[in-house]
């Protein structure tokens, strides 16, 4: 446990998992994975056919454990639920702007951030510095107070950076991650207080996703009389009762890094296969994500083990 609360940056690549190059490209994402605690966030089945806009809002709402508040006015905002948590979201998606504002997040147009700094700067240092400043990190130092405790940066499906498609979005994300890693070196003030989460989803489910990206244990797939003796994984449970709507494939990929706080596992590349085989966090439900993060920010009690 850290002796001071973390300040959190969540980079959410909506639908970008499919575009991550497993070769020498996207090397900053792979470098992050090699330093981080990696795993999967399971999602539920969609209760009914969704439009792409609905999917985008629904999956982001799951990360905030607020899916029940999509259609109804929220009974509690994020600050109400998490000890006054000050949160912001950068996005261009109109649905997320409205949803985030209803939950008490400060909504900042992604275009505004990009326009302030030259998009020709591929390393993303200026943009990264601007985002870190909102969290109280400035010129390599940690300010006593910060405008926000947590900042979400939403890029991907419907959120084309500079009008680009998926591959270019991943390249932008990779450069941004590289800029953050340069400013949060081990032993630095920023590195000791910044909790970085990079979450990548698959977006709209495709035909062969169930066979390619299953989160089920191999024993579940075997025709064995012993398979029923294996207990359900924790991601398939809630309050001691089996969840009925767990989607057994196409999870979100997540890598988390805060020096001297997160544990390094054996994953070396930002990929589904590597996270399944070598990730230390295994699979947790997406709706537990913010609860775990809030604990490290001293905004919630510990969830789970």
């Amino acid at each position: 446990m850290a002796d001071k609360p973390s300040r959190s940056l969540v980079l959410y690549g909506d639908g970008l998992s499919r575009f991550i190059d497993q070769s020498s490209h996207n090397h900053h994402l792979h470098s992050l994975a090699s330093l981080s605690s990696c795993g999967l966030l399971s999602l539920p089945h969609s209760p009914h056919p969704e439009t792409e806009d609905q999917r985008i809002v629904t999956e982001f709402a799951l990360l905030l454990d607020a899916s029940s508040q999509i259609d109804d006015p929220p009974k509690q905002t994020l600050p109400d639920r998490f000890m006054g948590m000050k949160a912001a979201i950068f996005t261009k998606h109109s649905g997320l702007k409205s949803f985030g504002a209803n939950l008490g997040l400060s909504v900042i147009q992604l275009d505004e951030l990009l326009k302030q700094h030259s998009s020709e700067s591929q390393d993303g240092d200026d943009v990264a510095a601007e985002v870190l400043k909102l969290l109280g990190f400035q010129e390599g130092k940690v300010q006593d107070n910060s405008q926000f405790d947590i900042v979400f940066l939403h890029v991907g499906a419907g959120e084309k950076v500079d009008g680009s498609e998926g591959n270019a979005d991943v390249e932008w994300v990779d450069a941004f991650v590289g800029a953050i890693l340069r400013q949060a070196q081990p032993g630095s003030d920023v590195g000791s207080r910044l909790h970085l989460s990079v979450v990548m989803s698959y977006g709209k489910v495709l035909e062969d996703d169930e066979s390619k990206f299953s989160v089920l244990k191999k024993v579940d797939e075997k025709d064995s009389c012993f398979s029923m003796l294996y207990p359900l994984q924790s991601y398939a449970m809630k309050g001691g009762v089996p969840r009925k709507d767990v989607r057994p494939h196409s999870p979100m990929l997540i890598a988390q890094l805060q020096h001297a706080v997160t544990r390094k596992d054996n994953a070396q590349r930002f990929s589904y296969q590597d996270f399944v085989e070598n990730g230390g966090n295994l699979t947790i439900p997406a709706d537990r994500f913010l609860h775990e993060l809030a604990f490290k920010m001293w905004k919630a009690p510990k969830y789970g083990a």
Side-chain angles (χ1 to χ4, degrees):
M1 182 72 180
D3 61 352
K4 294 181 180 179
S6 305
R7 296 174 187 173
S8 181
L9 172 60
V10 179
L11 179 53
Y12 176 35
D14 190 348
L16 298 186
S17 289
R18 304 181 188 279
F19 301 98
I20 299 176
D21 191 328
Q22 297 310 311
S23 64
S24 59
H25 294 86
N26 312 137
H27 61 279
H28 294 304
L29 282 169
H30 299 317
S31 177
L32 171 69
S34 71
L35 299 169
S36 299
S37 180
C38 304
L40 309 174
L41 301 177
S42 68
L43 298 167
H45 286 289
S46 299
H48 50 73
E50 296 178 305
T51 66
E52 183 66 358
D53 284 337
Q54 289 172 331
R55 183 200 63 74
I56 290 170
V57 175
T58 297
E59 292 189 358
F60 182 75
L62 282 165
L63 291 175
L64 273 56
D65 191 19
S67 54
S68 63
Q69 304 184 61
I70 293 176
D71 299 318
D72 300 319
K75 297 178 181 178
Q76 289 186 310
T77 64
L78 235 61
D80 295 332
R81 293 168 56 203
F82 294 105
M83 300 171 61
M85 179 187 287
K86 299 175 292 184
I89 179 172
F90 285 93
T91 183
K92 291 192 289 186
H93 190 269
S94 59
L96 282 186
K97 290 180 189 177
S98 176
F99 179 68
N102 286 338
L103 284 179
L105 282 74
S106 295
V107 179
I108 306 173
Q109 176 79 5
L110 184 59
D111 281 343
E112 293 177 6
L113 173 67
L114 299 176
K115 286 177 181 177
Q116 290 176 20
H117 306 283
S118 172
S119 60
E120 297 177 358
S121 178
Q122 294 186 359
D123 58 16
D125 281 336
D126 290 343
V127 177
E130 193 69 24
V131 173
L132 291 176
K133 189 184 301 183
L134 297 175
L135 291 167
F137 302 115
Q138 193 164 0
E139 296 180 354
K141 301 297 181 183
V142 182
Q143 308 300 311
D144 291 336
N145 298 303
S146 62
Q147 188 172 350
F148 299 107
D149 302 305
I150 183 170
V151 171
F152 296 90
L153 184 59
H154 177 254
V155 178
E159 296 294 291
K160 307 308 179 189
V161 175
D162 297 334
S164 63
E165 296 299 327
N167 285 324
D169 283 349
V170 170
E171 290 178 7
W172 187 90
V173 168
D174 186 71
F176 182 82
V177 168
I180 294 294
L181 292 178
R182 284 191 291 275
Q183 299 193 48
Q185 294 285 330
S188 68
D189 291 344
V190 176
S192 65
R193 295 287 300 279
L194 174 67
H195 190 286
L196 173 65
S197 299
V198 175
V199 181
M200 295 283 192
S201 75
Y202 284 96
K204 183 179 179 181
V205 174
L206 304 181
E207 274 188 30
D208 59 349
D209 284 354
E210 187 168 358
S211 60
K212 290 170 61 178
F213 306 119
S214 174
V215 298
L216 297 176
K217 288 285 187 181
K218 290 184 179 180
V219 67
D220 297 332
E221 301 168 358
K222 294 178 180 178
D223 184 14
S224 168
C225 60
F226 296 107
S227 62
M228 295 302 293
L229 298 178
Y230 285 82
L232 287 173
Q233 296 293 297
S234 59
Y235 72 85
M237 304 288 291
K238 186 174 184 179
V241 178
R243 292 176 182 249
K244 298 180 179 180
D245 61 347
V246 177
R247 190 174 80 190
H249 60 86
S250 309
M252 294 178 177
L253 311 182
I254 179 170
Q256 295 183 298
L257 175 64
Q258 182 179 351
H259 296 295
V261 172
T262 54
R263 296 178 181 178
K264 181 183 178 301
D265 54 33
N266 293 324
Q268 295 298 312
R269 306 190 73 73
F270 202 109
S271 74
Y272 160 80
Q273 195 64 38
D274 206 352
F275 285 13
V276 167
E277 295 176 359
N278 301 307
N281 279 344
L282 303 179
T283 305
I284 68 169
D287 60 18
R288 297 297 93 192
F289 166 73
L290 188 56
H291 293 270
E292 293 281 3
L293 204 51
F295 169 70
K296 294 180 176 64
M297 298 163 60
W298 296 12
K299 296 294 183 181
K302 182 74 173 82
Y303 173 83

